[in-house]
Amino acid sequence: MFNLTFSAAHPLSAYGWDQGFAESFVPYAEQGFLPGRIVRVDRGRVDAVVPDGDGVRTVLADTALVATGDPLRVPCTGDWAALDLANGRSGAHVDGVVRALLPRRTAFVRSTSSKRAEGQVLATNLDHIVICVSLAEPLDLGRIERFLALAMSGAADEGPLDTSAPSPASGAQPVVVLTKADLAGAPEGLAHLVADVESAAPGVPVLAVSSASGDGLDVLRAVLAGGTSVLLGRSGAGKSTLVNVLVGEEVQLVQAIRDRDGKGRHTTTTRDLRPLPGGGVLIDTPGLRGVGMWDAHTGLARTFSDVEELAEECRFHDCAHRGEPGCAVQEAVDSGELSVRRLESYRKLQRENQRIVAKTDARLRAELRRDWKQKQALGRHMMERKRGPQR
């Protein structure tokens, strides 16, 4: 049976194995299964690292026994799994089968691009969510706020959640990494760009790095050491180059961005978990063109904490911040304390998140429909008053 005694010298400790996961694995160890961390998922099969003496080896396992119609509960890169390598072979090149997934502590989830209300889990059991933004193109602060809202939500319904672990909203620390800092020009200009991002990410570390010159990489390595991190961003954000530098070898193909529109080409096609030389593991992901909201109420409140704090000072608790008397949010906009752009971004993401949640919450859907009817009735009433009595 697998030795459950945890120590820093444990062969899986470099991949994030700790006492908490060891305790969760006890029932499976009694059945003769091995723990493994999923490092890659591909068409119903996974690559996972398992203990092998004093080291580890990578095995290929089938996921048919844990297959489910719920997209939030499918095996994902970063998951810890119970693997049956003794009785689970289903093919000449398959080493075993996944019998179960251990409870997840955190996850990054977005809504799918389809019209159905479905979430997609991109990575699990995370300590850091690294949002990569290229300085080779104009900053899109709204997109950064979108990523942050999802990162700070952690998605509490993303499958087998470990309720004894830290809450998913607080378990993963977001970090904004401004890549290609060598293309930002003078130091003063770079400082202004960092300040702009900090204004959209209150309380979140913002690091400017350059894979070409090495600037800022030591700080980033220190942040990522000892935990599990995922790199997220659009194609062309410099993720693949950054992965190669952090891992210390050419593990990802790098392609130039398109000249005509500055957009990147997909060079990463799967989500892969790799150990870092200085400690910790890193999950690289393909470029994300669309990042839809998914039950991000908590993350929106944390991302826009400045707006939320102002809203608490409004005269009316249900203030919509659209000209109501005693609106502290509107007063902050008028005084320049809060930018119009940030308030509009807050409203946009709130509306989108409400629509997504309403698709799966009948009560909220009914409330939104009732609110819409009230607004229509009020609009008709105001129009009738404007027209005056009809003869």
Side-chain angles (χ1 to χ4, degrees), residues 56-383:
V56 297
R57 64 188 175 102
T58 303
V59 299
L60 179 64
D62 193 281
T63 62
L65 296 181
V66 293
T68 170
D70 185 349
L72 296 180
R73 296 178 181 271
V74 299
C76 180
T77 303
D79 275 332
W80 285 98
L83 300 168
D84 184 355
L85 303 184
N87 307 300
R89 293 188 178 182
S90 59
H93 303 290
V94 178
D95 301 297
V97 64
V98 177
R99 291 287 182 178
L101 300 178
L102 297 191
R104 294 166 177 166
R105 294 179 179 174
T106 56
F108 186 91
V109 184
R110 67 168 179 176
S111 66
T112 61
S113 57
S114 66
K115 294 182 179 180
R116 295 176 294 178
E118 291 183 350
Q120 179 189 20
V121 186
L122 298 185
T124 64
N125 296 313
L126 305 168
D127 297 295
H128 298 98
I129 297 175
V130 182
I131 302 164
C132 296
V133 180
S134 172
L135 292 180
E137 58 185 11
L139 284 177
D140 185 345
L141 298 180
R143 186 176 179 84
I144 295 174
E145 290 164 340
R146 177 181 292 271
F147 270 103
L148 287 172
L150 290 171
M152 291 186 179
S153 294
D157 297 318
E158 74 296 347
L161 184 72
D162 184 357
T163 55
S164 65
S167 69
S170 62
Q173 170 66 47
V175 180
V176 180
V177 172
L178 305 180
T179 63
K180 308 181 184 181
D182 53 297
L183 303 180
E188 295 80 7
L190 177 59
H192 284 303
L193 292 172
V194 171
D196 286 344
V197 176
E198 289 176 337
S199 69
V204 175
V206 179
L207 307 177
V209 306
S210 169
S211 298
S213 67
D215 291 343
L217 292 178
D218 287 344
V219 177
L220 179 58
R221 288 190 180 99
V223 170
L224 304 184
T228 298
S229 306
V230 61
L231 293 187
L232 301 170
R234 61 179 293 178
S235 297
K239 298 190 306 300
S240 295
T241 304
L242 189 57
V243 168
N244 290 339
V245 172
L246 293 173
V247 173
E249 57 181 296
E250 297 291 325
V251 295
Q252 291 288 12
L253 176 67
V254 177
Q255 294 185 13
I257 62 173
R258 294 195 296 259
D259 290 334
R260 68 176 183 274
D261 56 11
K263 294 183 178 179
R265 303 178 178 92
H266 282 297
T267 56
T268 304
T269 57
T270 59
R271 297 188 288 276
D272 298 310
L273 184 149
R274 307 178 190 279
L276 295 172
V281 293
L282 185 65
I283 301 174
D284 189 19
T285 62
L288 302 174
R289 289 194 177 93
V291 187
M293 290 288 99
W294 181 261
D295 197 9
H297 174 75
T298 301
L300 283 169
R302 296 178 65 190
T303 301
F304 294 93
S305 58
D306 52 342
V307 181
E308 295 274 325
E309 290 172 3
L310 287 169
E312 292 179 358
E313 300 176 10
C314 291
R315 181 183 304 175
F316 304 108
H317 73 278
D318 59 348
C319 182
H321 320 308
R322 294 187 180 277
E324 294 88 345
C327 176
V329 173
Q330 194 60 53
E331 289 176 3
V333 171
D334 294 340
S335 68
E337 178 185 352
L338 178 68
S339 70
V340 174
R341 183 214 63 80
R342 185 158 171 80
L343 178 58
E344 288 304 315
S345 177
Y346 172 72
R347 287 171 172 163
K348 176 182 178 181
L349 295 179
Q350 286 278 19
R351 288 194 302 269
E352 182 181 332
N353 190 62
Q354 274 194 329
R355 287 196 299 269
I356 290 295
V357 175
K359 288 182 179 181
T360 56
D361 188 328
R363 184 173 62 179
L364 178 59
R365 191 161 57 246
E367 290 177 357
L368 291 176
R369 188 180 298 113
R370 183 167 56 252
D371 181 59
W372 176 247
K373 288 182 178 179
Q374 290 176 347
K375 289 180 178 179
Q376 283 186 316
L378 178 61
R380 287 194 297 269
H381 173 69
M382 297 302 293
M383 185 61 68

